[in-house]
Amino acid sequence: MGGLGDLRGFLNELRRRGAIREFKEPVAIEEAYRFIRSNPGAVAIFEDVRGYDLKIATGICGSRELIAAAIGIEPAALHGALNEAMRNPLEPGEANSAAFSEAEPDLSHLPIARYYPRDGGPYISSAIVSAKSPDGSIENVSIHRMMVLDRRRLAIRIVPRHLFRLCEMARASGSRSLPIGVAIGLHPSVLLAASSPAPFGVSEYAVANRLMGGGLRLAELGNSTRVPFDAEIAMEGEISLEELEDEGPFVDLTGTYDIVRRQPVVRIDKVYKRDGAIYHALLPGGPEHAILMGLPYEARIREAVAAAVPTVKDVRLTPGGCCWLHAVISIEKQADGDGKNALLAAFAAHPSLKHAVVVDSDIDISDPAAVEWAIATRFQGDRDLIIIRGARGSSLDPSADQESLTTTKLGFDATRPMSKPRDKFLRAGSG
Ligand code: MN
């Protein structure tokens, strides 16, 4: 499947495999969103949404198997492919013309709705936002939730990362706004790359293009920002550096409501759509959200742990830990202390990480019961636990100190002690 660069190609492949539920009958937008909310992880497309000329697709990035299929690799190769793409980004080509054409610039024509009843407003949760530095030398692409304020305006949540930095650079150069390109309805590789911790200065489009084996092509919009030429929906607009609005509340990765904040306003100038455009509805707190955020950080943790303990076997940010706050790492232990070194490397690689467990390579880390078994039979709290108080934590964790965002981190070294006979710790009938 590698080389098929757009969302439609991937959806066709899912249809061929019978891996997508197709709703061909007309549905009301509320019905579609109720289905999405009640069936987290369902892969589905609503072909006929009453009152809209767009389809709604959901769930397409909701598992590591789906993402791997989209890229055309095995799930076990995902970490390596992501790390390789971040190390060797490849500048995409430019398309002669875009697959989309201009539509009326009116957000009410897009099938955007509230995912949960208490949401602050209708939300876009699957859009990438691309922007450049004032001299055009740096491009950034990232995913931001955007709440519809009216037909032409959105409130955008911007955490102090790369887009924030571009806003500050624009402000310092005397601008009152930052031009942006927005795209919705994208190949999973583009969404995954836009979620990756590529360093500032590396365009996530180049990371996506490497993941896609050079298959990504971009179109330049009137304001010089770039979007994938085959995006289902593209928008041209700007982030105001002066105007703020209340943004939220919104359900975040933990499945709990985030707080309301004053956030920048986006003004939309132009909207483009493909014929029969597909709107990607991405359930906040659902599996797509978790996999897209977690997978790139698993890859990063794996690389960091490998530098400390060369025999790392696998890494998971676990679903129970929201694919963000809890990690399990398996290693081929060579010496006492390897487990603790692996834990320290993992905490350094992913600042939001709160609890981490390291186990031996005979433990299947995708099985929570197997991990618990390792803790039950190979872990002693006085000897194998690391406690780090007052460390920087995740703003998503409601139990963290919400003022200072500090948290207590725990590392569980559930590997076998080297000094005791190996047999004593093996499950009968294994290895
Ligand atoms: Mn970036």
Side-chain angles (χ1 to χ4, degrees), residues 291-307:
I291 290 285
L292 285 173
M293 277 188 72
L295 199 52
Y297 278 87
E298 280 182 5
R300 179 164 158 152
I301 290 170
R302 187 167 181 157
E303 188 148 89
V305 174

Side-chain angles (χ1 to χ4, degrees), residues 139-142 161-163 196-202 204:
E139 181 179 58
N140 192 72
V141 188
S142 42
R161 283 198 73 240
H162 298 169
L163 183 61
S196 74
F200 189 67
V202 171
E204 285 79 2

